[in-house]
Amino acid sequence: MDELTTLLDRPTAMVLEGVEEALAALDLTGPVARALRSGLPEELCWPALEEVLEGFDAHDALRVTCTWPVLTVYGDDRAVAVDHAGARASCVFRVPVDAVSHAVHFAGGQFLVSWTTDGRARSNTLAFWNDRPDEVFAPEHTLGMRPYGSVIDGAFGFQFEAPDRSGRFEGERVLRPGGREGIGVRELQMGEGSRFWSAEVFQKAGDWTCHDAMTGERGVGGVFRTSTVTAKCRPAAWSRRSCTSRPPSRASKAAPR
């Protein structure tokens, strides 16, 4: 406070009179413990992502799509898939000069590049895989073929990689390199390692379907609603009354999370 007195003007210093006693009465054990456990906001960073970003031109308009834990960062003609450890893969590509939007999705070590020339289209309508750029096709499902933008565009980025890294779960099936299924409307996703759950962004009843994480086939749990979870399709660490996650008890540490 003595140092502040020399730095602040007199009215400000007078307002702070008595602050030392007020601060001395505070118990800082809790705040300090929380900071030690979770760290400071200034410490939150993703070094591998920062390195990838440095490789792009500063004037490039970057976009992202997710194949969690992989984030695909792409610009006008280049894409990089990065996870917690570093870049998984990268590619260069070219879309038609009259394309009004484009997206790049990482699946099984390859990139699905899509675009549209229709300014009224809600998503991209043509695509190719980066290792076979001459094979342009019209995907069967297209609504999810767009960059992440919000809960409506990309569902906050919660789409997952298959456990063996062979493809990308797109809501109803696993998209693998060379596949022409495209990406559909079931962009809201959850997972616990062996199973995925998906729902449409604009779902009304809150229905989620259970799928095998490797094949995309519907699981034995069938369908559940956000208010009533079927026992067969409910991870052990979830509440029965809602789908909010809760820490597993000491006795359930071996249960899937």
Side-chain angles (χ1 to χ4, degrees), residues 46-64 71-75 78 80 82 87:
W46 187 348
L49 176 60
E50 296 295 332
E51 184 177 347
V52 165
L53 294 178
E54 290 177 0
F56 283 91
D57 188 284
H59 301 290
D60 210 347
L62 299 182
R63 308 165 186 85
V64 297
L71 184 73
T72 301
V73 184
Y74 66 94
R78 179 170 173 263
V80 180
V82 58

Side-chain angles (χ1 to χ4, degrees), residues 12-63:
T12 304
M14 292 180 64
V15 171
L16 294 176
E17 185 176 352
V19 71
E20 289 182 273
E21 293 77 8
L23 291 175
L26 295 177
D27 182 4
L28 299 179
T29 304
V32 171
R34 285 194 296 273
L36 292 175
R37 284 195 299 267
S38 59
L40 302 173
E42 292 81 358
E43 298 174 327
L44 298 178
C45 65
W46 187 348
L49 176 60
E50 296 295 332
E51 184 177 347
V52 165
L53 294 178
E54 290 177 0
F56 283 91
D57 188 284
H59 301 290
D60 210 347
L62 299 182
R63 308 165 186 85

Side-chain angles (χ1 to χ4, degrees), residues 107 112 129 166-170 173-177 179 181-183:
L112 179 63
W129 288 93
S166 65
R168 179 185 191 272
F169 180 63
E170 61 82 54
R173 61 194 65 84
V174 177
L175 176 67
R176 292 185 167 87
E181 303 95 327
I183 303 172

Side-chain angles (χ1 to χ4, degrees), residues 138-174:
E140 182 180 352
H141 305 279
T142 62
L143 190 59
M145 300 185 68
R146 52 192 174 184
Y148 159 76
S150 65
V151 66
I152 297 177
D153 297 325
F156 289 135
F158 297 123
Q159 292 85 42
F160 298 98
E161 183 177 45
D164 64 352
R165 297 187 175 186
S166 65
R168 179 185 191 272
F169 180 63
E170 61 82 54
E172 293 182 287
R173 61 194 65 84
V174 177

Side-chain angles (χ1 to χ4, degrees), residues 83-205:
D83 63 12
H84 66 284
R88 286 262 202 104
S90 63
C91 78
V92 292
F93 60 87
R94 180 178 297 176
V95 296
V97 294
D98 57 344
V100 295
S101 70
H102 70 284
V104 183
H105 291 82
F106 179 76
Q110 301 295 332
F111 297 89
L112 179 63
V113 181
S114 62
W115 73 93
T116 183
T117 57
D118 183 356
R120 297 170 298 177
R122 296 181 58 191
S123 55
N124 299 328
T125 55
L126 296 172
F128 63 77
W129 288 93
N130 71 287
D131 61 339
R132 54 196 85 175
D134 295 330
E135 299 180 15
V136 176
F137 60 93
E140 182 180 352
H141 305 279
T142 62
L143 190 59
M145 300 185 68
R146 52 192 174 184
Y148 159 76
S150 65
V151 66
I152 297 177
D153 297 325
F156 289 135
F158 297 123
Q159 292 85 42
F160 298 98
E161 183 177 45
D164 64 352
R165 297 187 175 186
S166 65
R168 179 185 191 272
F169 180 63
E170 61 82 54
E172 293 182 287
R173 61 194 65 84
V174 177
L175 176 67
R176 292 185 167 87
R180 300 192 172 191
E181 303 95 327
I183 303 172
V185 299
R186 302 186 69 84
E187 295 181 299
L188 293 174
Q189 297 177 18
M190 298 183 288
E192 44 81 283
S194 63
R195 294 169 295 180
F196 292 134
W197 287 262
S198 68
E200 295 184 18
V201 171
F202 295 106
Q203 44 84 17
K204 296 181 179 179

Side-chain angles (χ1 to χ4, degrees), residues 215-232:
T215 66
E217 295 180 359
R218 287 204 175 191
V220 295
V223 178
F224 70 81
R225 298 174 184 270
T226 52
S227 58
T228 305
V229 183
T230 61
K232 290 183 179 180

